[in-house]
Amino acid sequence: MPRICIYPKDVAQLTGRSYDAAKRLVRRAREAAGKPAGALVSVQDFCQLTGLDEAEVSRAINQRSA
């Protein structure tokens, strides 16, 4: 089953940013989507903030976790 949530570790590996910078980016995506603290961030939420292609990001995180 494909993953639809994205975590800071995924963002760090996809973008080449540090883990702390990736955490901030995930936090910004959560806030931009209007979700409360601690809520999961979907690939769609993350891609809307960053402008990355949702299909590419989804493919990348699902290949890595397989």
Side-chain angles (χ1 to χ4, degrees):
M1 177 179 227
R3 284 184 34 208
I4 59 171
C5 295
I6 194 161
Y7 298 96
K9 181 179 177 180
D10 301 319
V11 174
Q13 291 179 341
L14 289 171
T15 64
R17 294 180 178 210
S18 70
Y19 183 76
D20 289 335
K23 284 194 307 187
R24 289 190 296 271
L25 191 53
V26 170
R27 187 179 314 124
R28 282 182 37 212
R30 182 183 302 113
E31 291 168 354
K35 294 183 176 184
L40 295 173
V41 175
S42 69
V43 171
Q44 181 181 17
D45 296 334
F46 175 75
C47 290
Q48 284 178 349
L49 176 73
T50 60
L52 295 173
D53 182 61
E54 189 176 337
E56 284 185 40
V57 172
S58 184
R59 188 173 334 121
I61 67 170
N62 285 308
Q63 284 177 350
R64 223 177 27 80
S65 63

